[in-house]
Amino acid sequence: MKLKVLIALFAAFLMPATVLAAGQKGNAKAGHEVFEAHCQMCHGDHGQGNPAVGRMLGAKIPDLGSKQVQSLTDAQIRNVIEHGHIKMPPVHGVSSTEISNVIAFVRTLAEKK
Ligand code: HEC
């Protein structure tokens, strides 16, 4: 019995912080700041996309509030941020928690239709 408790504690201790953060729901308010610092220059103030950057990268930047983007899972959006997606380069310098937060912010952009 005692051993089981010890093993459980040990496992929780060993679980990397990134795994814990990846499973957490982010904080949209904190995510807004991450968005302004790391996404806004390409995705625009409200996630509508910056057409000038789109032309430069030769890509059509999707509206982050659109069905197309909102239908992605949190894990898929995390993957886009960490590894990039077609013409979008990976975003460097954001922690796992910051990614959870910015995903929560992206969810607030969902078009109310
Ligand atoms: C250097 C410009 C740039 C930055 C910075 C950037 N993006 Fe993007 N993003 C793009 C472009 C361009 C696309 C469209 C890629 C394509 O379809 O070729 C895109 C697409 C996306 C998509 C849609 C992916 C899909 O499967 O359709 C999501 C979600 C996204 N970006 C989120 C973010 C978030 C969140 C950040 C900030 C953490 C961010 N992006 C930072 C340029 C950028």
Side-chain angles (χ1 to χ4, degrees):
M1 182 61 194
K2 218 173 173 186
L3 187 65
K4 268 190 194 158
V5 173
L6 270 179
I7 290 170
L9 278 176
F10 196 61
F13 187 70
L14 282 183
M15 182 138 53
T18 51
V19 171
L20 288 170
Q24 262 170 19
K25 280 278 164 237
N27 175 321
K29 214 165 155 225
H32 192 186
E33 283 167 30
V34 179
F35 184 85
E36 285 178 342
H38 297 279
C39 319
Q40 198 181 58
M41 60 286 223
C42 296
H43 284 283
D45 292 351
H46 309 287
Q48 75 278 19
N50 180 337
V53 174
R55 275 194 296 278
M56 225 164 63
L57 293 173
K60 192 181 174 308
I61 302 184
D63 188 327
L64 295 182
S66 67
K67 263 218 175 93
Q68 179 207 325
V69 171
Q70 292 293 326
S71 64
L72 299 170
T73 64
D74 287 4
Q76 285 171 320
I77 296 180
R78 173 174 290 273
N79 195 49
V80 167
I81 297 168
E82 287 177 341
H83 304 289
H85 175 73
I86 318 179
K87 296 285 169 69
M88 174 176 152
V91 177
H92 298 293
V94 281
S95 70
S96 186
T97 306
E98 285 173 329
I99 293 178
S100 298
N101 292 345
V102 82
I103 292 170
F105 175 72
V106 167
R107 293 301 181 200
T108 69
L109 300 173
E111 282 164 351
K112 308 210 168 35
K113 274 183 189 160

mmCIF file of all heavy atoms in Angstrom, residues 10-41:
data_model
loop_
_atom_site.group_PDB
_atom_site.id
_atom_site.type_symbol
_atom_site.label_atom_id
_atom_site.label_comp_id
_atom_site.label_asym_id
_atom_site.label_seq_id
_atom_site.Cartn_x
_atom_site.Cartn_y
_atom_site.Cartn_z
ATOM 1 N N PHE A 10 5.999 9.409 -7.216
ATOM 2 C CA PHE A 10 7.209 9.447 -8.018
ATOM 3 C C PHE A 10 6.852 9.685 -9.485
ATOM 4 O O PHE A 10 7.472 10.504 -10.172
ATOM 5 C CB PHE A 10 7.956 8.122 -7.848
ATOM 6 C CG PHE A 10 9.368 8.184 -8.313
ATOM 7 C CD1 PHE A 10 10.262 9.068 -7.720
ATOM 8 C CD2 PHE A 10 9.820 7.354 -9.324
ATOM 9 C CE1 PHE A 10 11.585 9.127 -8.142
ATOM 10 C CE2 PHE A 10 11.141 7.409 -9.750
ATOM 11 C CZ PHE A 10 12.027 8.296 -9.156
ATOM 12 N N ALA A 11 5.802 9.020 -9.972
ATOM 13 C CA ALA A 11 5.375 9.159 -11.365
ATOM 14 C C ALA A 11 4.925 10.594 -11.641
ATOM 15 O O ALA A 11 5.279 11.179 -12.667
ATOM 16 C CB ALA A 11 4.250 8.171 -11.673
ATOM 17 N N ALA A 12 4.163 11.156 -10.697
ATOM 18 C CA ALA A 12 3.680 12.525 -10.874
ATOM 19 C C ALA A 12 4.855 13.491 -10.929
ATOM 20 O O ALA A 12 4.872 14.447 -11.700
ATOM 21 C CB ALA A 12 2.741 12.905 -9.730
ATOM 22 N N PHE A 13 5.852 13.187 -10.130
ATOM 23 C CA PHE A 13 7.034 14.040 -10.066
ATOM 24 C C PHE A 13 7.813 13.980 -11.376
ATOM 25 O O PHE A 13 8.335 14.984 -11.861
ATOM 26 C CB PHE A 13 7.905 13.571 -8.900
ATOM 27 C CG PHE A 13 9.071 14.468 -8.634
ATOM 28 C CD1 PHE A 13 8.862 15.731 -8.096
ATOM 29 C CD2 PHE A 13 10.358 14.056 -8.933
ATOM 30 C CE1 PHE A 13 9.940 16.572 -7.855
ATOM 31 C CE2 PHE A 13 11.435 14.895 -8.692
ATOM 32 C CZ PHE A 13 11.226 16.153 -8.152
ATOM 33 N N LEU A 14 7.853 12.795 -11.952
ATOM 34 C CA LEU A 14 8.641 12.605 -13.167
ATOM 35 C C LEU A 14 7.940 13.111 -14.418
ATOM 36 O O LEU A 14 8.576 13.356 -15.427
ATOM 37 C CB LEU A 14 8.953 11.119 -13.370
ATOM 38 C CG LEU A 14 10.079 10.566 -12.510
ATOM 39 C CD1 LEU A 14 10.334 9.111 -12.878
ATOM 40 C CD2 LEU A 14 11.362 11.370 -12.700
ATOM 41 N N MET A 15 6.612 13.242 -14.352
ATOM 42 C CA MET A 15 5.876 13.656 -15.548
ATOM 43 C C MET A 15 6.377 15.039 -15.981
ATOM 44 O O MET A 15 6.324 15.983 -15.207
ATOM 45 C CB MET A 15 4.381 13.709 -15.244
ATOM 46 C CG MET A 15 3.597 14.097 -16.467
ATOM 47 S SD MET A 15 2.082 13.169 -16.710
ATOM 48 C CE MET A 15 1.239 13.328 -15.195
ATOM 49 N N PRO A 16 6.874 15.149 -17.196
ATOM 50 C CA PRO A 16 7.443 16.440 -17.588
ATOM 51 C C PRO A 16 6.401 17.549 -17.566
ATOM 52 O O PRO A 16 5.232 17.318 -17.880
ATOM 53 C CB PRO A 16 7.933 16.205 -19.019
ATOM 54 C CG PRO A 16 7.687 14.789 -19.338
ATOM 55 C CD PRO A 16 6.904 14.155 -18.245
ATOM 56 N N ALA A 17 6.839 18.725 -17.193
ATOM 57 C CA ALA A 17 5.947 19.882 -17.115
ATOM 58 C C ALA A 17 5.257 20.120 -18.450
ATOM 59 O O ALA A 17 4.104 20.549 -18.490
ATOM 60 C CB ALA A 17 6.742 21.115 -16.702
ATOM 61 N N THR A 18 5.939 19.842 -19.553
ATOM 62 C CA THR A 18 5.345 20.100 -20.871
ATOM 63 C C THR A 18 4.121 19.226 -21.098
ATOM 64 O O THR A 18 3.147 19.666 -21.683
ATOM 65 C CB THR A 18 6.356 19.830 -22.001
ATOM 66 O OG1 THR A 18 6.906 18.548 -21.807
ATOM 67 C CG2 THR A 18 7.455 20.857 -22.021
ATOM 68 N N VAL A 19 4.179 17.971 -20.624
ATOM 69 C CA VAL A 19 3.030 17.072 -20.802
ATOM 70 C C VAL A 19 1.846 17.610 -20.007
ATOM 71 O O VAL A 19 0.719 17.660 -20.485
ATOM 72 C CB VAL A 19 3.373 15.632 -20.354
ATOM 73 C CG1 VAL A 19 2.134 14.760 -20.338
ATOM 74 C CG2 VAL A 19 4.443 15.041 -21.253
ATOM 75 N N LEU A 20 2.138 18.058 -18.786
ATOM 76 C CA LEU A 20 1.080 18.621 -17.950
ATOM 77 C C LEU A 20 0.477 19.853 -18.616
ATOM 78 O O LEU A 20 -0.740 19.979 -18.715
ATOM 79 C CB LEU A 20 1.645 18.999 -16.581
ATOM 80 C CG LEU A 20 1.978 17.816 -15.671
ATOM 81 C CD1 LEU A 20 2.740 18.284 -14.453
ATOM 82 C CD2 LEU A 20 0.715 17.089 -15.268
ATOM 83 N N ALA A 21 1.337 20.737 -19.105
ATOM 84 C CA ALA A 21 0.855 21.976 -19.707
ATOM 85 C C ALA A 21 0.065 21.687 -20.969
ATOM 86 O O ALA A 21 -0.951 22.334 -21.235
ATOM 87 C CB ALA A 21 2.024 22.905 -20.003
ATOM 88 N N ALA A 22 0.496 20.700 -21.751
ATOM 89 C CA ALA A 22 -0.163 20.406 -23.020
ATOM 90 C C ALA A 22 -1.596 19.943 -22.796
ATOM 91 O O ALA A 22 -2.464 20.160 -23.631
ATOM 92 C CB ALA A 22 0.630 19.354 -23.801
ATOM 93 N N GLY A 23 -1.848 19.312 -21.651
ATOM 94 C CA GLY A 23 -3.183 18.817 -21.370
ATOM 95 C C GLY A 23 -4.072 19.847 -20.698
ATOM 96 O O GLY A 23 -5.253 19.621 -20.509
ATOM 97 N N GLN A 24 -3.474 20.981 -20.368
ATOM 98 C CA GLN A 24 -4.228 21.986 -19.621
ATOM 99 C C GLN A 24 -4.993 22.924 -20.533
ATOM 100 O O GLN A 24 -4.548 23.224 -21.628
ATOM 101 C CB GLN A 24 -3.254 22.834 -18.807
ATOM 102 C CG GLN A 24 -3.140 22.406 -17.377
ATOM 103 C CD GLN A 24 -1.980 23.128 -16.717
ATOM 104 O OE1 GLN A 24 -1.519 24.158 -17.203
ATOM 105 N NE2 GLN A 24 -1.505 22.576 -15.624
ATOM 106 N N LYS A 25 -6.101 23.416 -20.046
ATOM 107 C CA LYS A 25 -6.816 24.470 -20.763
ATOM 108 C C LYS A 25 -6.091 25.776 -20.478
ATOM 109 O O LYS A 25 -5.765 26.077 -19.341
ATOM 110 C CB LYS A 25 -8.260 24.569 -20.268
ATOM 111 C CG LYS A 25 -9.148 23.511 -20.888
ATOM 112 C CD LYS A 25 -9.616 23.949 -22.284
ATOM 113 C CE LYS A 25 -10.174 22.791 -23.091
ATOM 114 N NZ LYS A 25 -9.541 22.556 -24.367
ATOM 115 N N GLY A 26 -5.843 26.525 -21.529
ATOM 116 C CA GLY A 26 -5.085 27.746 -21.363
ATOM 117 C C GLY A 26 -5.932 28.898 -20.864
ATOM 118 O O GLY A 26 -7.150 28.803 -20.757
ATOM 119 N N ASN A 27 -5.252 29.973 -20.577
ATOM 120 C CA ASN A 27 -5.872 31.202 -20.101
ATOM 121 C C ASN A 27 -5.915 32.194 -21.263
ATOM 122 O O ASN A 27 -4.888 32.664 -21.743
ATOM 123 C CB ASN A 27 -5.005 31.721 -18.947
ATOM 124 C CG ASN A 27 -5.480 33.058 -18.431
ATOM 125 O OD1 ASN A 27 -5.902 33.931 -19.187
ATOM 126 N ND2 ASN A 27 -5.417 33.221 -17.141
ATOM 127 N N ALA A 28 -7.134 32.482 -21.739
ATOM 128 C CA ALA A 28 -7.302 33.282 -22.954
ATOM 129 C C ALA A 28 -6.759 34.702 -22.786
ATOM 130 O O ALA A 28 -6.242 35.294 -23.732
ATOM 131 C CB ALA A 28 -8.770 33.318 -23.351
ATOM 132 N N LYS A 29 -6.868 35.233 -21.566
ATOM 133 C CA LYS A 29 -6.418 36.603 -21.341
ATOM 134 C C LYS A 29 -4.896 36.681 -21.477
ATOM 135 O O LYS A 29 -4.357 37.564 -22.146
ATOM 136 C CB LYS A 29 -6.858 37.047 -19.938
ATOM 137 C CG LYS A 29 -7.188 38.500 -19.907
ATOM 138 C CD LYS A 29 -7.958 38.887 -18.663
ATOM 139 C CE LYS A 29 -7.725 40.350 -18.388
ATOM 140 N NZ LYS A 29 -7.439 40.600 -16.971
ATOM 141 N N ALA A 30 -4.214 35.727 -20.854
ATOM 142 C CA ALA A 30 -2.755 35.670 -20.997
ATOM 143 C C ALA A 30 -2.396 35.356 -22.444
ATOM 144 O O ALA A 30 -1.396 35.841 -22.975
ATOM 145 C CB ALA A 30 -2.184 34.617 -20.058
ATOM 146 N N GLY A 31 -3.235 34.560 -23.086
ATOM 147 C CA GLY A 31 -2.994 34.185 -24.479
ATOM 148 C C GLY A 31 -3.071 35.365 -25.433
ATOM 149 O O GLY A 31 -2.407 35.380 -26.463
ATOM 150 N N HIS A 32 -3.868 36.378 -25.074
ATOM 151 C CA HIS A 32 -3.975 37.566 -25.916
ATOM 152 C C HIS A 32 -2.607 38.240 -26.035
ATOM 153 O O HIS A 32 -2.213 38.683 -27.112
ATOM 154 C CB HIS A 32 -5.019 38.528 -25.338
ATOM 155 C CG HIS A 32 -5.394 39.630 -26.275
ATOM 156 N ND1 HIS A 32 -6.219 40.666 -25.916
ATOM 157 C CD2 HIS A 32 -5.047 39.867 -27.561
ATOM 158 C CE1 HIS A 32 -6.358 41.484 -26.953
ATOM 159 N NE2 HIS A 32 -5.651 41.028 -27.966
ATOM 160 N N GLU A 33 -1.875 38.278 -24.909
ATOM 161 C CA GLU A 33 -0.540 38.897 -24.936
ATOM 162 C C GLU A 33 0.426 38.087 -25.791
ATOM 163 O O GLU A 33 1.244 38.646 -26.515
ATOM 164 C CB GLU A 33 0.012 39.020 -23.514
ATOM 165 C CG GLU A 33 -0.629 40.169 -22.779
ATOM 166 C CD GLU A 33 -0.348 40.151 -21.286
ATOM 167 O OE1 GLU A 33 0.725 39.645 -20.891
ATOM 168 O OE2 GLU A 33 -1.220 40.631 -20.543
ATOM 169 N N VAL A 34 0.313 36.766 -25.692
ATOM 170 C CA VAL A 34 1.165 35.907 -26.516
ATOM 171 C C VAL A 34 0.834 36.160 -27.991
ATOM 172 O O VAL A 34 1.727 36.287 -28.836
ATOM 173 C CB VAL A 34 0.931 34.413 -26.175
ATOM 174 C CG1 VAL A 34 1.796 33.517 -27.050
ATOM 175 C CG2 VAL A 34 1.204 34.147 -24.700
ATOM 176 N N PHE A 35 -0.454 36.295 -28.274
ATOM 177 C CA PHE A 35 -0.898 36.534 -29.650
ATOM 178 C C PHE A 35 -0.314 37.841 -30.183
ATOM 179 O O PHE A 35 0.219 37.892 -31.298
ATOM 180 C CB PHE A 35 -2.436 36.574 -29.704
ATOM 181 C CG PHE A 35 -2.969 36.715 -31.104
ATOM 182 C CD1 PHE A 35 -3.156 35.593 -31.913
ATOM 183 C CD2 PHE A 35 -3.279 37.962 -31.627
ATOM 184 C CE1 PHE A 35 -3.630 35.730 -33.210
ATOM 185 C CE2 PHE A 35 -3.751 38.105 -32.928
ATOM 186 C CZ PHE A 35 -3.927 36.984 -33.723
ATOM 187 N N GLU A 36 -0.388 38.889 -29.351
ATOM 188 C CA GLU A 36 0.121 40.188 -29.788
ATOM 189 C C GLU A 36 1.622 40.133 -30.056
ATOM 190 O O GLU A 36 2.118 40.759 -30.984
ATOM 191 C CB GLU A 36 -0.179 41.255 -28.726
ATOM 192 C CG GLU A 36 -1.636 41.666 -28.737
ATOM 193 C CD GLU A 36 -1.961 42.700 -27.663
ATOM 194 O OE1 GLU A 36 -1.175 42.840 -26.707
ATOM 195 O OE2 GLU A 36 -3.005 43.345 -27.795
ATOM 196 N N ALA A 37 2.330 39.356 -29.247
ATOM 197 C CA ALA A 37 3.784 39.304 -29.390
ATOM 198 C C ALA A 37 4.239 38.370 -30.511
ATOM 199 O O ALA A 37 5.263 38.609 -31.132
ATOM 200 C CB ALA A 37 4.406 38.869 -28.058
ATOM 201 N N HIS A 38 3.480 37.291 -30.770
ATOM 202 C CA HIS A 38 4.004 36.257 -31.661
ATOM 203 C C HIS A 38 3.157 35.949 -32.894
ATOM 204 O O HIS A 38 3.612 35.218 -33.777
ATOM 205 C CB HIS A 38 4.211 34.954 -30.885
ATOM 206 C CG HIS A 38 5.227 35.061 -29.790
ATOM 207 N ND1 HIS A 38 6.588 34.990 -30.028
ATOM 208 C CD2 HIS A 38 5.090 35.271 -28.466
ATOM 209 C CE1 HIS A 38 7.236 35.128 -28.884
ATOM 210 N NE2 HIS A 38 6.357 35.299 -27.912
ATOM 211 N N CYS A 39 1.941 36.420 -32.968
ATOM 212 C CA CYS A 39 1.061 36.008 -34.067
ATOM 213 C C CYS A 39 0.496 37.191 -34.839
ATOM 214 O O CYS A 39 0.247 37.100 -36.042
ATOM 215 C CB CYS A 39 -0.129 35.192 -33.543
ATOM 216 S SG CYS A 39 0.284 34.011 -32.243
ATOM 217 N N GLN A 40 0.297 38.313 -34.128
ATOM 218 C CA GLN A 40 -0.461 39.423 -34.685
ATOM 219 C C GLN A 40 0.143 39.977 -35.978
ATOM 220 O O GLN A 40 -0.596 40.344 -36.888
ATOM 221 C CB GLN A 40 -0.541 40.527 -33.637
ATOM 222 C CG GLN A 40 -1.622 41.538 -33.902
ATOM 223 C CD GLN A 40 -1.610 42.606 -32.813
ATOM 224 O OE1 GLN A 40 -0.612 43.285 -32.598
ATOM 225 N NE2 GLN A 40 -2.692 42.715 -32.099
ATOM 226 N N MET A 41 1.459 40.015 -36.066
ATOM 227 C CA MET A 41 2.084 40.613 -37.252
ATOM 228 C C MET A 41 1.666 39.873 -38.521
ATOM 229 O O MET A 41 1.619 40.467 -39.590
ATOM 230 C CB MET A 41 3.615 40.704 -37.111
ATOM 231 C CG MET A 41 4.357 39.401 -36.926
ATOM 232 S SD MET A 41 4.082 38.780 -35.232
ATOM 233 C CE MET A 41 5.699 38.252 -34.766
#
